[in-house]
Amino acid sequence: MPESTPVTAALPALPSLSAQAETLIDLGVHEIAGLSAADIRDFAKAAEASGAEDGGLLTVHPDRAPASALAPLLRRDDKSGFVVVDMPDVDLFTPLDTVTVPDAPLYVLGGIDRGDHMANWSPDEALPALTAQDRSPLLLTEGIHWVLQQPAALERNHCFMTIGSRLRKANGALDARTPALWISNGTGRDGRERRNAPKAGWCWAGNRHTWLGFASTTGRRLQDA
């Protein structure tokens, strides 16, 4: 197992759940999900009233708002987010069997961490370590929700993987690609016009990258859980 790298300064607190609801509405995420603005607002208010922990992230179920629809809503330096061209099957990446997602259109993530201390670990190394810490890896859609609400969560040299989402092949084995969110350098097939744009891409499950942590959560809950 590689040595852990030093943890960087903590990110500022997320906005309130009600403020996050307004961001999703402004971006049109409720329409993507087939929900009304009132649905989003009412859920956020109920979650706050039920004592949802500070720093929670309001999230739409991936079946309602897939990564292909959410990624273009990301913004950095006036550049729109995108999915890499060699990941046309991005929406077929579903939660691992060990990741339990509430059976509801909306839920709240608690205790999100970017996993900077795991930079230079491989996904194969990071997953059992997160499990041992009673943490659950983020899904790709959850990571996108995080950056939509807190763009500072994605910064050069401190980006993150979302290894809760994996593609299962016809024979039952996992595809070796593991999703991640980082910032384009505008090289290769990204195109120079996309330099500094946020991107959803992938890395091999056995590879290490010094600039990718492993985002995780302490749990997913409904407002009345």
Side-chain angles (χ1 to χ4, degrees), residues 154-165:
L154 200 65
E155 57 180 314
R156 285 206 176 275
N157 300 315
H158 296 293
C159 300
F160 59 88
M161 302 205 71
T162 53
I163 60 173
S165 295

Side-chain angles (χ1 to χ4, degrees), residues 6-30:
V7 179
T8 57
L11 292 166
L14 279 163
S16 69
L17 294 176
S18 289
Q20 292 180 43
E22 296 306 317
T23 295
L24 295 181
I25 292 165
D26 289 345
L27 291 170
V29 174
H30 63 300

Side-chain angles (χ1 to χ4, degrees), residues 32-80:
I32 293 170
L35 300 169
S36 69
D39 291 332
I40 304 280
R41 292 186 177 112
D42 290 348
F43 180 90
K45 289 177 182 176
E48 291 172 336
S50 70
E53 63 270 40
D54 291 339
L57 177 67
L58 179 59
T59 309
V60 179
H61 195 286
D63 286 350
R64 292 289 195 116
S68 63
L70 293 177
L73 303 179
L74 294 168
R75 292 288 185 278
R76 186 177 188 275
D77 293 346
D78 296 324
K79 302 288 181 69
S80 300

Side-chain angles (χ1 to χ4, degrees), residues 86 93 121-125 161 163 166 169 174-180 182 201-209 212 214:
D86 54 353
F93 282 70
W121 291 39
S122 73
D124 287 342
E125 293 164 336
M161 302 205 71
I163 60 173
R166 295 292 296 271
K169 297 187 288 189
L174 289 175
D175 187 281
R177 293 171 295 167
T178 52
W182 72 93
W202 59 270
C203 299
W204 299 119
N207 286 7
R208 298 173 178 173
H209 298 278
L212 285 174
F214 292 85

